[in-house]
Amino acid sequence: MRHDPHKLVEGCLIAGVAMRACAAYIYIRGEYVNERKNLQRAVKEAYDAGYLGKNACGSGYDFDVHVHFGAGAYICGEETALLESLEGKQGKPRLKPPFPANAGLYGCPSTVTNVETVAVSPTILRRGPEWFASFGRKNNSGTKLFCISGHVNTPCTVEEEMSIPLKELIERHAGGVRGGWDNLLAIIPGGSSVPLIPKHICDDILMDFDALKAAQTGLGTAAVIVMDKSTDVVDAIARLSYFYKHESCGQCTPCREGTGWLWMMMERMKTGKAVIEEIDMLWELTKQIEGHTICALGDAAAWPVQGLIRHFRPEMERRIRERAASEIEAPAEATG
Amino acid sequence: MSHYPANYKQSAVIPLLDLAQQQHGGWLTISAMNKVAEILGMAPIRVYEVATFYSMFNRTKVGKYHLLVCGTTPCRLRGSCDIEEALLKHLGVERNEVTSDGLFSVGEMECMGCCVNAPMIVVADYTKGAEGYTYNYYEDLTPKKVIELVEILRRGESPPPGTQNPDRFNCAPAGGQKTLLCEPKPPPCRDLDAC
């Protein structure tokens, strides 16, 4: 949106006409102030050129595009929370059903889509659907914006085809892992909401929906976070737990209480201030949150911790044992 | 307010609160929230609900330059703790405290969406009221660069926003992109009359 907002505006028009909608609201994050101004300028230019508004593009179809912005709440990315925020209330998700396609914004039928999907639609129409489907494996076709961050040599955002091997993605575009591929500890392939995968899985996994689901993780938002051997992985996941605790809207009990509880336990796991059975308690806690919440933030908070326990349990046990051993050696200093 | 249907003025609450905050030097008072409620025909409690829910609304005083450091995991992996520590040490304040000259305050934000240009800070500039309000990202920082940035702001100048790494353009990798280096093959559009 800094450099090519018109793609999104055109995509909105195409999507709206395809659905016979009368208006589109682009919900942009509150923190993206300069990008929002850019987008508003692009929308105004489109109106001035007659591409939007009454008789859009001279086709006889009326279509309006409005830019709305939030004010710093991650939960407003969830579709019903977005609708609540657009209506001017707190961004607390609604129960589904009724789905937004039946009762959405202001009670009217609405669809909430990701801007990446909408922005790629003009190109698909220009080049043909077969061209787009030629990228990636079956059921996983098309391109995706991969944001590679963390311990790589040159972090970047690339639009790559789906089903690209993870190793090739990182080595070609991000300059490889800091210190060489063997310095890799774990990768989170899809942003904060998906479990991490350790190095032996990363060696040959493909970046698409099916392959990552088979590895008990997910593609998510394709925000690849790379962690090398210098990382304190328990600290990284604890920080994610804090993020979810901060961003929880507070509506339903499993998420509101669960995210706080998860964070407190993870903080103790960082220094090993726990007993071994508490790892199982942590696992059970994530299972209690997952699937029992109004929206998917509960699942998103639970999954990274599950990934940590699944793949890095020995590391967590090691910390607990070491701390217990040091407490036995120096009982006078152990205040617990 | 013209963006929303006439019977749903409440939708404009976030933009109006944001404007009120800019006009008031970076924070919202109860009277500002009450005024917004009056303009939109809402019960004041609904405005209070919105102002307490979203993290960008400040309900206590902040510095004229409110510096926000992103602390979530991708930035943390690239050293955002060092950035925050350097800032707090240099300015001599705790988190969320305002410096004695009222110019700076440091806060922590959750993920700002800028993970490939980590670590980064945002500077919310309330020195010039609502017309001169800027909210600029400063990316690819080091502790040394962030101190230089603060000193540039203290002098009243504006450092260049965006990535502070001269090798990078926006979110492309340092050293330039690795693919699509040649002109695209024609035609850019299929034969629309054929279908």
Side-chain angles (χ1 to χ4, degrees):
Chain A
M1 271 168 286
R2 278 184 191 172
H3 299 278
D4 199 356
H6 284 289
K7 225 183 243 184
L8 177 59
V9 179
E10 191 183 350
C12 282
L13 179 61
I14 293 175
V17 168
M19 282 196 289
R20 312 307 285 165
C22 59
Y25 283 88
I26 303 177
Y27 189 104
I28 184 169
R29 277 182 72 158
E31 288 92 337
Y32 291 164
V33 171
N34 296 332
E35 287 76 11
R36 182 213 323 158
K37 291 188 188 153
N38 224 8
L39 194 56
Q40 281 170 332
R41 233 179 74 193
V43 169
K44 182 167 180 304
E45 281 178 12
Y47 268 102
D48 290 339
Y51 293 135
L52 294 173
K54 298 251 173 294
N55 199 9
C57 296
S59 62
Y61 189 81
D62 298 338
F63 193 71
D64 284 313
V65 172
H66 304 285
V67 177
H68 175 95
F69 57 100
Y74 172 76
I75 185 61
C76 289
E78 201 268 336
E79 90 182 314
T80 49
L82 198 150
L83 295 172
E84 290 284 301
S85 181
L86 249 176
E87 292 184 5
K89 307 182 214 156
Q90 294 183 312
K92 291 187 167 168
R94 303 176 188 161
L95 282 167
K96 293 192 282 204
F99 291 101
N102 285 331
L105 185 62
Y106 309 132
C108 310
S110 13
T111 307
V112 180
T113 6
N114 208 330
V115 290
E116 206 180 320
T117 317
V118 166
V120 88
S121 54
T123 319
I124 298 179
L125 285 181
R126 274 196 202 98
R127 289 194 179 236
E130 299 80 20
W131 170 82
F132 194 71
S134 68
F135 298 121
R137 300 192 298 178
K138 188 166 180 304
N139 291 341
N140 296 295
S141 51
T143 59
K144 183 82 187 65
L145 286 164
F146 291 101
C147 302
I148 310 164
S149 61
H151 294 150
V152 288
N153 287 320
T154 55
C156 61
T157 304
V158 285
E159 186 176 6
E160 258 289 0
E161 61 171 325
M162 293 282 287
S163 310
I164 184 174
L166 178 57
K167 189 163 178 195
E168 190 189 325
L169 179 70
I170 294 180
E171 309 242 300
R172 204 207 282 188
H173 294 284
V177 180
R178 209 168 63 172
W181 183 257
D182 290 322
N183 198 23
L184 179 62
L185 181 65
I187 288 187
I188 303 181
S192 59
S193 331
V194 300
L196 48 72
I197 36 175
K199 177 172 181 300
H200 66 92
I201 301 184
C202 301
D203 282 334
D204 43 26
I205 192 139
L206 304 179
M207 292 298 281
D208 63 12
F209 302 112
D210 294 333
L212 287 170
K213 189 130 171 278
Q216 289 182 304
T217 176
L219 185 59
T221 57
V224 181
I225 307 175
V226 177
M227 298 188 267
D228 69 4
K229 295 212 158 82
S230 73
T231 325
D232 182 349
V233 69
V234 184
D235 172 65
I237 304 294
R239 186 58 181 77
L240 285 181
S241 298
Y242 178 76
F243 170 75
Y244 283 111
K245 166 180 154 357
H246 188 274
E247 299 295 341
S248 167
C249 73
Q251 220 183 161
C252 57
T253 311
C255 176
R256 184 184 61 242
E257 306 301 326
T259 47
W261 190 0
L262 272 181
W263 174 63
M264 287 196 283
M265 289 192 76
M266 287 302 297
E267 286 290 310
R268 282 193 294 119
M269 294 288 175
K270 259 201 310 205
T271 47
K273 203 165 145 188
V275 292
I276 304 272
E277 288 79 18
E278 290 192 297
I279 302 183
D280 295 302
M281 190 165 110
L282 198 55
W283 179 269
E284 205 197 313
L285 176 57
T286 58
K287 286 292 176 195
Q288 293 275 30
I289 299 175
E290 196 184 342
H292 296 131
T293 50
I294 295 180
C295 75
L297 193 134
D299 307 336
W303 284 330
V305 180
Q306 282 180 0
L308 179 71
I309 297 177
R310 192 182 297 133
H311 295 292
F312 284 95
R313 190 176 176 134
E315 170 65 26
M316 295 169 83
E317 291 188 355
R318 180 188 70 83
R319 288 185 197 207
I320 295 177
R321 255 182 261 118
E322 277 182 9
R323 190 192 164 98
S326 72
E327 284 187 4
I328 293 172
E329 281 166 15
E333 293 163 67
T335 49
Chain B
M1 279 168 65
S2 59
H3 286 299
Y4 309 104
N7 54 335
Y8 283 106
K9 288 193 289 211
Q10 190 178 352
S11 298
V13 67
I14 294 180
L16 283 186
L17 280 174
D18 192 38
L19 198 57
Q21 187 169 274
Q22 292 165 27
Q23 287 174 341
H24 194 257
W27 62 293
L28 289 170
T29 53
I30 299 268
S31 54
M33 296 187 226
N34 289 338
K35 185 75 183 147
V36 170
E38 196 190 326
I39 296 176
L40 294 174
M42 286 160 73
I45 181 64
R46 301 281 167 227
V47 179
Y48 303 157
E49 273 178 358
V50 170
T52 49
F53 185 79
Y54 294 99
S55 54
M56 275 176 76
F57 293 131
N58 305 312
R59 283 162 286 122
T60 52
K61 233 164 180 276
V62 295
K64 296 215 184 79
Y65 291 106
H66 191 45
L67 309 167
L68 296 157
V69 185
C70 172
T72 318
T73 302
C75 281
R76 194 180 169 89
L77 290 174
R78 304 272 310 179
S80 70
C81 300
D82 298 329
I83 304 282
E84 198 186 348
E85 214 181 291
L87 272 178
L88 292 176
K89 193 154 148 249
H90 181 80
L91 294 170
V93 285
E94 299 289 321
R95 208 193 265 187
N96 294 325
E97 208 188 301
V98 186
T99 52
S100 47
D101 52 4
L103 263 186
F104 295 107
S105 52
V106 180
E108 196 197 17
M109 273 296 246
E110 298 300 327
C111 184
M112 303 295 277
C114 203
C115 317
V116 298
N117 296 70
M120 50 80 70
I121 68 165
V122 176
V123 177
D125 178 348
Y126 297 109
T127 53
K128 304 185 189 70
E131 284 79 30
Y133 174 66
T134 58
Y135 193 86
N136 284 325
Y137 276 31
Y138 296 98
E139 306 152 1
D140 286 314
L141 292 171
T142 59
K144 192 159 143 303
K145 280 206 190 103
V146 81
I147 307 286
E148 281 168 18
L149 214 97
V150 165
E151 292 309 314
I152 297 180
L153 288 171
R154 199 193 287 272
R155 289 199 296 267
E157 292 156 17
S158 312
T163 177
Q164 305 290 306
N165 180 352
D167 273 340
R168 291 187 76 166
F169 172 66
N170 216 29
C171 54
Q177 61 193 55
K178 305 284 189 309
T179 55
L180 299 179
L181 294 166
C182 56
E183 284 295 309
K185 292 196 295 254
C189 184
R190 60 190 169 143
D191 186 4
L192 293 169
D193 298 319
C195 50

